[in-house]
Amino acid sequence: MALSSTAAGAPAAGGSPAEAQALTLDRLRANVGKLSTTTLKELENSLPWYRRLSADERSALGMVAQNGIAAFVQWYQRPSSPQWVLSDVFGTAPTELTRSISLQRALQLIRIVVQVVEDQVPDLAPKAEQGALREAVLRYSREVAFAAADVYARAAESRGSWDTRLEALVVDGILRGENSDALQSRIAALGWKSQSRFTVMVGKSPSETNATFVSELRRAAGRFAEDALVGIQGDRLILVLGGVADLELAYLRLSELFAPGPVVYGPLADTLADTTLSAQAAFSGMAVAKAWPGAPRPVSADDLWPERVISGDDSARRALLKNIYRPLLAASNGLAETLGSYLQLGHSLEATARELFVHANTVRYRLRRVCDVTGWDPLVPREAFVLQTALVVGRLATPAKPAADRPPGRPA
């Protein structure tokens, strides 16, 4: 595209280098508008993604291109002061720029601007000055490219800091049982996509929990779950997982990243609202884990029902009633009575059979049925302790029968 007559009709420079540079600078100033118009047309013709942008986004990027050309004129006059390139070229555009296009596309835009100016060098400078102008264009493009990289780096740091704060708010909201709609909005802003299979892990946090550790933990969690949130509250490390495929493997591998000490995971939740219950169970289990010295690492909060009941956790008491005591009563066949006698008589099959006036094989059958109904095996000492706690909780929750209703000959 031909430039204005100011450039095209100027006589060739025959004076000193300083006069040639001054003439080139005058021509650059006179043709800033023409260069800007040519650049915008070239963006439309050469970059398909530019045409698909909204009017506001094209306006912001067009302003960057025009600022780049105007700033080049100043830089050509004072090439030793590149510090202002960032503010003069990008101005207030960094936020819009990083939202609209990627760094790769930003560099494509800069390349177009540089190419337009370089193509017009013969019309902008006398022959003796054209080499110097081309070199200046290349040096300036380097400064602008570095400035663009700095813009995107700062934007990435800002987003990272905001994401960290937002993640902490989401974890805190889950722990406090915040309104699920507000929580869904925040968690969606973090890119969370899981809709089921939520769980929470709690344990001691390492002494140094810097950004590198959090990133490593998040990457490790990504191997076992679709989504993961990391929260650090004092000396506690909280890991919220969503869309977990292999629960046992995930718990085992991720527990290795916690500091020494117990690691407790809550029950699986089907909804985000229920994740609060999983977190509460995990924290409750964490508070009493020391009462079971032989607990595995990690340990389920449900495996700590007895300790949680003793510490006053009403949710554990309700869980024992729902999952053990009431199913035993509903199964009939004397399962609750048989289990109670077996535990009371020192886990002796023969003593239990004599107490109930049944054969020992009947006791064995009923104990197997207890395992089938509740999922807890009375022949395993730890699981027998859970069952015994459930019986105690159930008896306390059920009104005692009158003495007249007791079978004759049986102790009160």
Side-chain angles (χ1 to χ4, degrees), residues 125-201:
K127 188 172 183 180
E129 186 68 14
Q130 290 179 11
L133 181 58
R134 284 193 175 93
E135 181 181 353
V137 170
L138 294 177
R139 290 172 57 195
Y140 176 74
S141 66
R142 181 190 63 185
E143 298 295 343
V144 175
F146 280 128
D150 186 64
V151 166
Y152 278 82
R154 291 174 185 270
E157 290 177 359
S158 177
R159 283 195 300 269
S161 299
W162 169 249
D163 287 349
T164 299
R165 291 192 293 269
L166 185 59
E167 185 177 32
L169 285 174
V170 169
V171 173
D172 185 64
I174 290 174
L175 298 182
R176 293 187 292 104
E178 191 176 312
N179 179 273
S180 60
D181 291 338
L183 203 58
Q184 284 282 8
S185 176
R186 292 189 186 125
I187 206 169
L190 291 172
W192 186 283
K193 299 179 181 179
S194 302
Q195 299 296 324
S196 62
R197 299 183 65 79
F198 302 97
T199 188
V200 179
M201 296 182 70

Side-chain angles (χ1 to χ4, degrees), residues 12-324:
S16 65
E19 292 176 345
Q21 184 178 9
L23 178 59
T24 300
L25 185 60
D26 289 341
R27 291 178 178 178
L28 284 171
R29 289 170 176 165
N31 288 280
V32 167
K34 292 287 186 178
L35 288 172
S36 299
T37 302
T38 304
T39 299
L40 293 178
K41 290 182 178 179
E42 190 64 25
L43 291 176
E44 290 278 357
N45 296 330
S46 303
L47 302 177
W49 56 263
Y50 180 83
R51 295 192 295 269
R52 293 193 297 267
L53 296 176
S54 67
D56 290 341
E57 291 170 335
R58 286 199 304 272
S59 175
L61 294 178
M63 185 63 67
V64 171
Q66 294 176 45
N67 288 345
I69 294 173
F72 171 69
V73 177
Q74 300 179 41
W75 186 89
Y76 184 73
Q77 185 178 7
R78 298 188 305 275
S80 60
S81 304
Q83 299 298 327
W84 44 262
V85 170
L86 180 62
S87 59
D88 279 17
V89 174
F90 296 102
T92 59
T95 301
E96 296 298 328
L97 185 68
T98 56
R99 288 178 180 175
S100 302
I101 61 174
S102 63
L103 176 58
Q104 181 182 11
R105 290 181 172 181
L107 295 178
Q108 291 176 3
L109 183 146
I110 293 171
R111 187 180 295 112
I112 293 293
V113 174
V114 171
Q115 188 64 48
V116 167
V117 177
E118 192 173 8
D119 289 345
Q120 303 298 335
V121 165
D123 296 324
L124 293 171
K127 188 172 183 180
E129 186 68 14
Q130 290 179 11
L133 181 58
R134 284 193 175 93
E135 181 181 353
V137 170
L138 294 177
R139 290 172 57 195
Y140 176 74
S141 66
R142 181 190 63 185
E143 298 295 343
V144 175
F146 280 128
D150 186 64
V151 166
Y152 278 82
R154 291 174 185 270
E157 290 177 359
S158 177
R159 283 195 300 269
S161 299
W162 169 249
D163 287 349
T164 299
R165 291 192 293 269
L166 185 59
E167 185 177 32
L169 285 174
V170 169
V171 173
D172 185 64
I174 290 174
L175 298 182
R176 293 187 292 104
E178 191 176 312
N179 179 273
S180 60
D181 291 338
L183 203 58
Q184 284 282 8
S185 176
R186 292 189 186 125
I187 206 169
L190 291 172
W192 186 283
K193 299 179 181 179
S194 302
Q195 299 296 324
S196 62
R197 299 183 65 79
F198 302 97
T199 188
V200 179
M201 296 182 70
V202 180
K204 293 283 186 179
S205 64
S207 56
E208 296 184 2
T209 52
N210 51 28
T212 302
F213 167 77
V214 173
S215 298
E216 179 185 355
L217 180 58
R218 192 177 286 110
R219 283 196 301 271
R223 301 189 188 103
F224 307 102
E226 295 178 2
D227 297 290
L229 296 173
V230 179
I232 300 174
Q233 297 183 351
D235 62 344
R236 297 287 174 88
L237 175 60
I238 305 143
L239 189 58
V240 182
L241 305 175
V244 186
D246 190 336
L247 286 172
E248 292 186 4
L249 182 60
Y251 293 143
L252 182 62
R253 294 293 178 82
L254 294 177
S255 65
E256 298 172 357
L257 299 176
F258 287 76
V263 177
V264 183
Y265 56 89
L268 196 65
D270 293 328
T271 66
L272 189 62
D274 293 337
T275 307
T276 297
L277 301 178
S278 179
Q280 291 172 349
F283 269 88
S284 177
M286 188 68 185
V288 300
K290 61 182 179 181
W292 183 13
R297 177 188 157 101
V299 60
S300 169
D302 290 352
D303 289 343
L304 292 164
W305 275 337
E307 290 79 6
R308 290 167 56 193
V309 167
I310 294 172
S311 70
D313 184 354
D314 194 57
S315 64
R317 183 189 65 82
R318 294 194 303 269
L320 287 172
L321 287 172
K322 176 183 177 181
N323 296 286
I324 297 180

